[in-house]
Amino acid sequence: MKVIGTGLSGLIGSRIVDLLSSRIHFEHLALENGLDITNHTAVFEAISGSTASWVLHLAAYTDVQGAENERGKGKDSVAWRVNVEATKNIVEICHTTRKHLLYVDTDYVFDGVKKSYDEQDTPNPKGWYAITKTEGEKHALSLGEHGLVIRIANPYRSGSSGLVMKMDFVHKMIDRFKKGEVIVAPTDQLLVPTFVDDIAYAILKLLQLNADGIYHVVGSDAVSPFSVATEIAKVYGFDSSLIKKTTFHEYFFNRAPIPQYAALSNKKLQALGVSMKTFHDGLSLMKEQECTM
């Protein structure tokens, strides 16, 4: 199988390539290769010239606060140009070339009012980052049977502390523990940590099925940030007294709006026979992997 993709050198994409390169031939659309995904002509030439049947669109502007700061710029903001305009261009190219598109979206498309969300729930994004990603999702779904959207949430993976581009949220906490720094974490927020290895194998299954529509590709339990920090301390043997409780509203006061409750259900994905780990199991496996690196 051949896949041409954006964002394949990032936190998630690089792990997908590492795990699936024996089964998938990946072609990279990236700045490192001299290609700007906002350049319609260059992207059209690359995708139309490829024999890949799937386009995997991982690249996005993901700075949530940075996006919010540019909200007043509207369609001139970086988030809109990358997350909406570039996606729209890729969708149009996929339509012309009859390629399938897999668009990677976020749990932030929801408003966080409900405690749990499935694929039938209507997005209601609050932050500018989330709004732009939701618009990109709409474009991807316009491809019908050639459009696949996966919503992921709070990804973490082995080795991310050594990546130049980004450290995942779990390793940020691990880093603070190692430095003996206090970790302030809300107890009344729900999120779903997702092991990136599981995302990779779920994507492989969806590509093999030529799936379309929306799938929540997330872990199998919803936890609070306080519970995340507590589990990390337990698994790694860190000092749990460094963890201090706070509330969602106190922690995110004057920050970009995000959903307080973002417990995405993965039942639709599980029905395909895809298993997604709980945070305890994923964290334990991540620790084992890093011990052998």
Side-chain angles (χ1 to χ4, degrees):
M1 180 186 296
K2 277 189 178 182
V3 170
I4 185 167
T6 71
L8 294 179
S9 60
L11 179 77
I12 300 171
S14 61
R15 185 61 175 165
I16 290 172
V17 172
D18 286 345
L19 293 172
L20 302 185
S21 58
S22 63
R23 306 189 198 188
I24 297 175
H25 174 73
F26 290 98
E27 300 174 9
H28 295 241
L29 294 173
L31 280 173
E32 301 94 291
N33 296 335
L35 191 144
D36 181 349
I37 65 167
T38 63
N39 184 327
H40 182 272
T41 301
V43 174
F44 178 81
E45 291 176 353
I47 294 178
S48 62
S50 170
T51 58
S53 57
W54 276 91
V55 177
L56 173 55
H57 185 25
L58 275 158
Y61 181 79
T62 58
D63 182 347
V64 176
Q65 189 60 55
E68 197 64 27
N69 294 342
E70 286 198 327
R71 188 172 190 143
K73 294 183 179 180
K75 294 183 179 181
D76 291 326
S77 65
V78 176
W80 187 275
R81 287 189 284 110
V82 174
N83 297 344
V84 184
E85 290 299 330
T87 300
K88 180 183 177 182
N89 290 337
I90 290 172
V91 166
E92 291 173 351
I93 295 165
C94 287
H95 177 72
T96 300
T97 59
R98 303 303 296 162
K99 295 185 187 297
H100 293 263
L101 172 67
L102 190 161
Y103 174 80
V104 179
D105 205 3
T106 171
D107 55 335
Y108 284 17
V109 302
F110 295 114
D111 53 22
V113 175
K114 292 176 57 178
K115 292 254 176 118
S116 179
Y117 293 89
D118 62 26
E119 290 84 351
Q120 300 301 314
D121 285 304
T122 302
N124 186 28
K126 296 302 183 183
W128 186 242
Y129 159 72
I131 289 170
T132 62
K133 286 297 292 178
T134 305
E135 289 300 311
E137 173 182 293
K138 291 176 184 176
H139 287 298
L141 293 174
S142 72
L143 286 170
E145 64 181 11
H146 281 73
L148 171 63
V149 170
I150 66 168
R151 296 183 183 132
I152 64 173
N154 308 287
Y156 64 97
R157 53 164 285 184
S158 58
S160 84
S161 58
L163 294 174
V164 175
M165 73 290 293
K166 192 175 184 181
M167 188 185 294
D168 64 47
F169 82 109
V170 170
H171 281 89
K172 287 178 181 178
M173 284 193 179
I174 290 173
D175 188 55
R176 292 186 69 85
F177 274 121
K178 288 180 177 178
K179 293 176 180 177
E181 297 176 352
V182 171
I183 296 173
V184 180
T187 59
D188 59 344
Q189 178 186 4
L190 284 178
L191 52 83
V192 182
T194 310
F195 193 44
V196 174
D197 293 24
D198 289 347
I199 295 175
Y201 293 118
I203 285 176
L204 177 63
K205 178 71 170 183
L206 292 168
L207 296 183
Q208 291 173 334
L209 292 174
N210 275 332
D212 57 53
I214 304 172
Y215 284 86
H216 289 171
V217 180
V218 297
S220 289
D221 57 350
V223 294
S224 70
F226 181 81
S227 296
V228 167
T230 301
E231 188 65 28
I232 291 172
K234 179 181 177 181
V235 170
Y236 279 82
F238 293 131
D239 181 5
S240 61
S241 69
L242 291 170
I243 311 168
K244 306 301 180 185
K245 295 180 180 180
T246 189
T247 66
F248 174 83
H249 292 293
E250 286 175 345
Y251 188 84
F252 290 99
F253 181 71
N254 275 342
R255 300 193 192 187
I258 69 166
Q260 180 174 1
Y261 305 115
L264 271 58
S265 168
N266 64 17
K267 289 182 179 179
K268 181 179 177 182
L269 183 68
Q270 286 189 37
L272 299 179
V274 177
S275 176
M276 303 293 287
K277 293 178 184 60
T278 63
F279 182 55
H280 173 78
D281 290 345
L283 184 67
S284 298
L285 180 54
M286 185 186 82
K287 182 184 178 186
E288 289 179 18
Q289 291 175 343
E290 292 185 333
C291 286
T292 61
M293 288 181 172

